Amino acid sequence: MHDQTTTPTPNILLLSCGTGEGHNSAARAIAEALEQRGAACTLADPLALHGRRTGAWVAGAYTRMIQKAPGAFNLLYKAGDLVSSERRSSPVYYANSLGARDLAAYVEQNRFTAVVCTHLFAMETMTAARREGLCRLPCYGVLTDYTCIPFTEETRLDGYFIPHRDLIGELTGKGMARERLFATGIPVRRRFRRPITRQQAREALGIPQQQTVFLVMGGSAGCGHIPALCSELEKQPGDWNAFVFVGRNRELQQTLEQQAGTGRVRAVPYTGQVDLYMRAADALITKPGGLTSTEAAVANVPLVHLLAYSACEEKNVEFFSARGMSVRAADGCQAAAEAWRLARDPQAAQAMRRAQQAGVNPDAAEEIAERVLKAE
């Protein structure tokens, strides 16, 4: 008889945070690719491990700030950028380091074999756990914006999956080690790259084939200048509809329903069919979140970026518009005009689609999964 040995199933912990749905979506995309390769995956929030109320409070405070006080958020971001340095630890690090022991205990208890962090807070907590000798597993960070956000450089992980090779200079300039940067792209779920035509997407959603269709997104919090934008869209006659993703923002949904106008602007609550709506649209108007913008480019929809707040999203706009993958709008009036231009100009829309195909990697999640499993 021959001894038969079995290879242990990789058991990967993916850490995200409730401050923005993009981080969670990136984690799910990686989990999807890992599970396809036979790995077991668990998604968790390190703030919730430290205390459920802590995680809920942080997520709620973030949502309220970007909805009600985007200017304050911009100021905090700029202040962080000024003091951020790889040579010293920030208050953000010390705050997240308080959860290091809880996280390390959770990792040990569940016998994880590697950790992937899609949010800065998780990277900070894992850095603290490693510095204190509490966790020695392979650990990676995933950057979900097209820039180095403040305090990323003070983290110490085995590697970082970054959105594009053109960001390497910025990241190394901040003090991050070149050999730990892997230019995979931002991971998006498989559904955004499935081969589906606009006609098929419209059939699935019950949208008339000949209608001009706009999609408006303000992130999971439903922030931005959406009511004013919709008022501008309403000024155009013709057979068209605008589907507005309001996320979990009930106040925005009520506002749009009250200003219904012609009835062509339709509020869409939180939905799992984002990819279908993108495929069905003639143009998408959205705040420039890194994950949403990447999903749009992978889905290949003409894209108008409208800033809700600056911070890291200013860099996202610069990255996309400089490469022809989107057009930037200064306000709702310009955003509506640009969306109509793309809908009426097939050549301009097709040029943008080609730029998106050249500028983003649709297989980023697969590449990340391969590297994580190879390093175990």
Side-chain angles (χ1 to χ4, degrees):
M1 292 182 61
H2 296 283
D3 290 334
Q4 292 186 342
T5 59
T6 58
T7 303
T9 300
N11 187 17
I12 314 300
L13 174 62
L14 294 116
L15 295 174
S16 183
C17 184
T19 58
E21 188 61 25
H23 305 285
N24 297 331
S25 296
R28 293 189 193 102
I30 298 168
E32 185 180 70
L34 286 166
E35 288 170 347
Q36 187 182 34
R37 289 160 174 76
C41 294
T42 300
L43 276 65
D45 181 345
L47 292 176
L49 295 176
H50 189 50
R52 290 188 180 276
R53 291 184 178 179
T54 301
W57 184 88
V58 171
Y62 169 83
T63 298
R64 288 190 295 273
M65 181 173 287
I66 63 172
Q67 285 179 351
K68 304 295 186 182
F73 181 80
N74 292 337
L75 289 175
L76 285 176
Y77 185 93
K78 290 177 181 178
D81 210 14
L82 289 172
V83 303
S84 182
S85 172
E86 88 282 4
R87 296 187 297 273
R88 59 180 177 271
S89 296
S90 69
V92 174
Y93 169 79
Y94 286 115
N96 284 283
S97 69
L98 298 175
R101 290 191 177 276
D102 291 327
L103 177 55
Y106 180 74
V107 168
E108 183 177 359
Q109 177 184 356
N110 290 276
R111 299 183 179 180
F112 293 112
T113 56
V115 181
V116 180
C117 307
T118 61
H119 193 284
L120 172 66
F121 292 172
M123 297 182 212
E124 296 276 34
T125 307
M126 280 304 305
T127 296
R130 288 156 67 92
R131 280 179 172 168
E132 295 175 27
L134 302 173
C135 183
R136 294 181 174 84
L137 296 181
C139 184
Y140 298 90
V142 180
L143 277 61
T144 58
D145 286 292
Y146 290 82
T147 187
C148 181
I149 68 169
F151 313 121
T152 302
E153 67 270 26
E154 71 182 3
T155 64
R156 296 292 182 270
L157 306 181
D158 295 301
Y160 299 85
F161 301 112
I162 69 172
H164 197 276
R165 61 180 179 274
D166 290 352
L167 298 179
I168 290 175
E170 177 187 352
L171 294 165
T172 55
K174 292 279 190 176
M176 299 183 72
R178 171 65 183 85
E179 64 273 13
R180 297 191 179 192
L181 303 178
F182 308 117
T184 57
I186 294 177
V188 302
R189 300 190 71 174
R190 194 174 299 113
R191 66 179 62 170
F192 287 93
R193 49 195 163 94
R194 60 181 171 174
I196 181 172
T197 66
R198 181 168 66 176
Q199 179 181 2
Q200 291 170 327
R202 291 191 175 192
E203 286 177 355
L205 294 170
I207 298 173
Q209 294 294 335
Q210 301 306 316
Q211 196 172 72
T212 298
V213 175
F214 299 112
L215 181 59
V216 180
M217 300 176 67
S220 61
C223 59
H225 313 288
I226 291 178
L229 166 63
C230 291
S231 295
E232 291 296 330
L233 287 173
E234 287 272 18
K235 294 178 180 179
Q236 292 286 339
D239 184 17
W240 63 271
N241 266 313
F243 296 91
V244 184
F245 283 15
V246 296
R248 298 183 177 89
N249 191 333
R250 295 296 301 276
E251 182 180 340
L252 174 60
Q253 182 175 349
Q254 291 172 358
T255 298
L256 292 177
E257 290 170 350
Q258 289 168 1
Q259 69 172 53
T262 62
R264 291 177 295 195
V265 174
R266 303 183 182 184
V268 180
Y270 190 84
T271 175
Q273 295 182 302
V274 177
D275 59 307
L276 285 178
Y277 279 98
M278 284 185 177
R279 294 285 191 180
D282 291 288
L284 163 63
I285 306 169
T286 181
K287 82 180 190 71
L291 198 285
T292 298
S293 300
T294 306
E295 288 174 341
V298 171
N300 224 202
V301 57
L303 180 59
V304 179
H305 273 141
L306 177 60
L307 275 177
Y309 53 87
S310 53
C312 55
E313 297 199 346
E314 177 74 39
K315 294 290 187 178
N316 293 338
V317 174
E318 290 176 5
F319 185 92
F320 270 69
S321 60
R323 290 161 178 79
M325 297 191 292
S326 76
V327 63
R328 176 175 184 157
D331 53 32
C333 181
Q334 187 180 1
E338 291 290 355
W340 275 108
R341 180 181 67 83
L342 288 168
R344 291 167 173 163
D345 188 343
Q347 290 185 331
Q350 185 58 28
M352 184 174 289
R353 290 191 179 99
R354 286 195 295 268
Q356 291 171 347
Q357 290 168 347
V360 300
N361 177 19
D363 300 317
E366 313 297 325
E367 293 184 16
I368 291 171
E370 290 285 353
R371 184 171 286 274
V372 169
L373 293 177
K374 183 179 179 180
E376 274 200 310

